């Protein structure tokens, strides 16, 4: 049964919040994955909605690409709102 | 089982079913299914505690849930024969397809019993029924999912699913007394989706409601009751 595909599980804790990744599980198909997710990840009223996504369908960034992907953001301080000084007379920003 | 709700019979069904299902813990085909079956077993145990407590309060003299669960002999239990059967062709067997067939028949009947309980004029019984309806609905869904997958799966899984269904089907007569037509309306569409043949109604074993049980109940009770009988009143 270890040939069952892997599914990533997302739980929405309550209305108005986004679904958050909580873990993964094995299941033969989507319907069973959803039910296993209910049993494994919402036992203690953790959520009001569940998503299951085939792990194989997720395109992930590679650790090898970490430097070109993420490091260039480190010195771009102008991307943060705190970089900008508030002009005189702007009361409601 | 018609008229006033028989809380003792319903409680015994749930208690014995819980003990049977607990045999799967650490032995299910996958970790995910292990947790699912344990959840269902604990739901059954939770319903059994409420039902036996309510039944015991109305006895003269009153009896506690522990007295009813641990200090009765087999002939005093009122569960139907289905729940005490081994979850496979022979004692000690654990067959997953067999278990899903067993759970399909059982949970469909429990859903109907609890629905009726929830609509009864008995306030306490109605509250227990309303809580248990949601759990039984999920148990029925879980069993249905697997019966369809195994029945409409490989030739091997189909054959074993049909064999298991044929073996447990006769015991559903006692289980569904008074709710047979409504029960068939729940179960037959699942069997059809699973490409399984609904077994013919022939042999109808019964006696559990009268305290006449199979030998399997004695073995089950010996295991379930031994700790309490050796250490009366023991708590964790």
């Amino acid at each position: 049964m270890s040939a069952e595909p892997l599914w990533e599980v997302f739980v929405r804790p309550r209305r108005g919040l986004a679904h958050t990744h909580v873990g993964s599980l094995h299941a033969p198909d989507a319907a069973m994955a959803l039910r296993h997710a209910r049993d494994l990840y919402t036992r203690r009223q953790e959520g009001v909605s569940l998503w299951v996504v085939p792990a194989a369908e997720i395109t992930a960034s590679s650790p090898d690409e970490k430097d070109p992907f993420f490091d260039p953001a480190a010195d771009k301080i102008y991307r943060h709102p705190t970089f900008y000084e508030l002009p005189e007379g702007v009361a409601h920003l | 089982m018609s008229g006033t709700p028989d809380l003792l019979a319903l409680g015994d069904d749930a208690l014995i079913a819980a003990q049977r299902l607990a045999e799967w813990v650490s032995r299910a085909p996958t970790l995910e299914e292990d947790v699912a079956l344990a959840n269902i077993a604990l739901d059954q145990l939770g319903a059994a505690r409420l039902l036996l407590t309510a039944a015991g309060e109305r006895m003269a003299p009153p009896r506690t849930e522990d007295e009813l669960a641990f200090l009765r002999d087999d002939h005093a239990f009122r569960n139907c024969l289905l729940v005490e059967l081994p979850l496979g062709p022979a004692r000690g067997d654990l067959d997953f397809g067999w278990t899903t067939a067993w759970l399909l028949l059982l949970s469909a009947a429990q859903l109907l019993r609890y629905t009726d309980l929830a609509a009864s004029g008995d306030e306490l019984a109605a509250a227990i029924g309303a809580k248990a309806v949601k759990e039984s609905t999920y148990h029925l869904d879980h069993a249905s999912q697997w019966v369809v997958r195994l029945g409409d799966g490989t030739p091997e899984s189909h054959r074993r699913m049909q064999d298991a269904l044929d073996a447990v089907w006769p015991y559903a007569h006692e289980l569904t007394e008074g709710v047979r037509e409504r029960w068939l309306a729940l179960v037959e569409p699942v069997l059809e989706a699973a490409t399984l043949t609904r077994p013919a109604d022939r042999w109808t074993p019964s006696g559990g409601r009268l305290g006449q049980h199979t030998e399997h109940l004695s073995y089950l009770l010996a295991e379930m009751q031994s700790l309490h009988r050796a250490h009366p009143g023991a708590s964790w």
Side-chain angles (χ1 to χ4, degrees):
Chain A
M1 299 282 273
S2 58
E4 289 182 352
L6 188 68
W7 302 78
E8 299 297 336
V9 181
F10 299 78
V11 175
R12 171 194 259 171
R14 57 179 189 273
R15 282 180 65 82
L17 295 184
H19 286 74
T20 307
H21 184 242
V22 293
S24 58
L25 53 79
H26 287 94
D29 53 47
M32 284 310 300
L34 202 55
R35 284 158 178 80
H36 285 330
R38 177 260 196 194
D39 287 331
L40 290 166
Y41 293 107
T42 64
R43 291 164 58 82
R44 302 172 189 89
Q45 294 189 295
E46 287 92 340
V48 296
S49 171
L50 273 170
W51 286 350
V52 289
V53 178
E57 292 296 314
I58 292 177
T59 306
S61 62
S62 162
D64 298 339
E65 299 167 323
K66 184 172 158 291
D67 288 352
F69 260 57
F70 305 117
D71 279 2
D75 58 358
K76 309 291 195 294
I77 54 173
Y78 48 84
R79 291 181 180 172
H80 296 270
T82 47
F83 176 79
Y84 298 94
E85 281 179 32
L86 219 55
E88 289 283 335
V90 177
H92 301 295
L93 193 67
Chain B
M1 291 283 289
S2 55
T4 51
D6 189 342
L7 299 177
L8 186 63
L10 284 177
D12 283 349
D13 280 357
L15 177 66
I16 304 304
Q19 183 71 13
R20 270 288 173 243
L21 274 176
E23 292 175 20
W24 273 109
V25 173
S26 83
R27 298 166 73 183
T30 64
L31 186 60
E32 289 83 353
E33 191 57 32
D34 210 283
V35 175
L37 290 174
N39 269 349
I40 295 173
L42 284 170
D43 284 350
Q44 295 279 355
L45 186 64
R49 293 191 59 185
L50 294 172
L51 289 162
L52 291 180
T53 298
E57 284 170 354
R58 296 165 186 202
M59 291 176 180
R63 305 181 70 181
T64 68
E65 52 173 331
D66 277 5
E67 286 171 337
L68 289 175
F70 297 127
L71 297 177
R72 276 182 301 161
D73 291 329
D74 58 348
H75 60 81
F77 275 80
R78 291 292 175 268
N79 59 279
C80 63
L81 299 182
L82 177 79
V83 292
E84 70 198 46
L85 296 181
L87 295 176
R91 189 161 63 85
D93 284 353
L94 270 183
D95 182 298
F96 186 70
W98 183 292
T99 302
T100 60
W102 176 91
L103 186 61
L104 172 68
L105 308 192
L106 174 66
S107 56
Q110 286 181 317
L111 176 58
L112 295 173
R113 301 282 185 210
Y114 294 144
T115 300
D116 292 347
L117 205 57
S120 73
D122 185 324
E123 195 176 336
L124 176 59
I128 297 172
K131 176 182 188 297
V133 158
K134 294 178 196 167
E135 295 172 346
S136 287
T137 302
Y138 192 80
H139 304 168
L140 177 60
D141 174 79
H142 190 81
S144 302
Q145 295 285 335
W146 275 119
V147 167
V148 169
R149 278 164 182 74
L150 294 171
D152 192 16
T154 65
E156 165 83 0
S157 73
H158 176 85
R159 180 184 60 76
R160 293 179 61 173
M161 200 65 228
Q162 184 70 55
D163 287 351
L165 182 67
D166 291 346
V168 294
W169 187 264
Y171 294 90
H173 285 275
E174 180 187 36
L175 170 76
T176 60
E177 195 186 344
V179 294
R180 182 80 181 174
E181 291 306 313
R182 293 159 65 203
W183 178 82
L184 285 170
L186 288 176
V187 169
E188 283 181 340
V190 180
L191 301 185
E192 192 179 332
T195 70
L196 294 166
T197 306
R198 173 215 195 274
D201 297 330
R202 284 194 284 263
W203 183 48
T204 58
S206 66
R209 302 287 184 221
L210 304 172
Q212 298 155 1
H213 293 280
T214 67
E215 61 169 359
H216 304 298
L217 183 63
S218 307
Y219 288 103
L220 182 147
L221 292 181
E223 186 167 300
M224 188 180 82
Q225 297 180 335
S226 61
L227 182 76
H228 187 92
R229 288 183 187 258
H231 306 279
S235 63
W236 294 104

